[in-house]
């Protein structure tokens, strides 16, 4: 059920069987094996002890946040460059490169 639920959030380029139950189970097993088991603490009753799953969620969340920050930064840089190019085109300073820029834009859109 998890594999079906996350399929709409697939990244481009993933193989068709990426979200199969078997593959998801093997990925989860690998995460469990490579994650350090948190040491159990002696403490008062009712104290919440961090589980392996909690460690995995925290680790994957941090990784995804870093990925998203990188994507945002790249998108902002691309936006600034496109805005600068648009201003130069409107001012008539890039008339000699219009065909080249048009080809670049078409490749980026496709």
């Amino acid at each position: 059920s998890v594999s079906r639920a996350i399929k709409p959030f697939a990244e481009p380029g993933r193989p068709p069987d990426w979200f199969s139950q078997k593959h998801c189970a093997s990925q989860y097993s690998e995460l469990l094996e490579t994650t350090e088991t948190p040491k159990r603490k002696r403490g008062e009753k009712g104290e919440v002890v961090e589980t392996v799953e909690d460690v995995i969620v925290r680790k994957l969340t941090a990784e995804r946040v870093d990925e998203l920050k990188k994507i945002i930064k790249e998108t902002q840089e691309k936006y600034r460059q496109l805005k600068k190019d648009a201003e130069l085109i409107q001012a008539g300073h890039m008339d000699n490169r219009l065909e080249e820029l048009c080809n670049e834009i078409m490749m980026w859109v496709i």
Side-chain angles (χ1 to χ4, degrees), residues 28-69:
Y28 183 68
S29 294
E30 185 179 325
L31 279 172
L32 287 175
E33 290 172 7
T34 58
T35 303
E36 287 186 33
T37 307
K39 296 181 180 172
R40 302 203 49 100
K41 298 177 183 176
R42 290 187 181 174
E44 299 176 20
K45 289 184 181 179
E47 182 179 333
V48 178
V49 179
E50 188 174 51
T51 65
V52 176
E53 291 83 3
D54 294 333
V55 173
I56 291 171
V57 168
R58 190 170 14 87
K59 175 185 169 190
L60 292 177
T61 301
E63 287 176 8
R64 186 61 180 154
V65 166
D66 290 342
E67 288 173 9
L68 291 173
K69 284 180 181 178

Side-chain angles (χ1 to χ4, degrees), residues 2 12 27 32 34-35 40 44-45 58 65-66 71 73 76-77 80 82 86 90 99-100 103 105:
V2 173
Q27 291 288 346
L32 287 175
T34 58
T35 303
R40 302 203 49 100
E44 299 176 20
K45 289 184 181 179
R58 190 170 14 87
V65 166
D66 290 342
I71 290 169
K73 184 177 178 182
Q76 287 173 336
E77 289 173 8
R80 284 188 205 105
L82 290 172
Q90 288 175 345
E99 187 174 333
E100 178 186 339
N103 290 335
I105 290 170

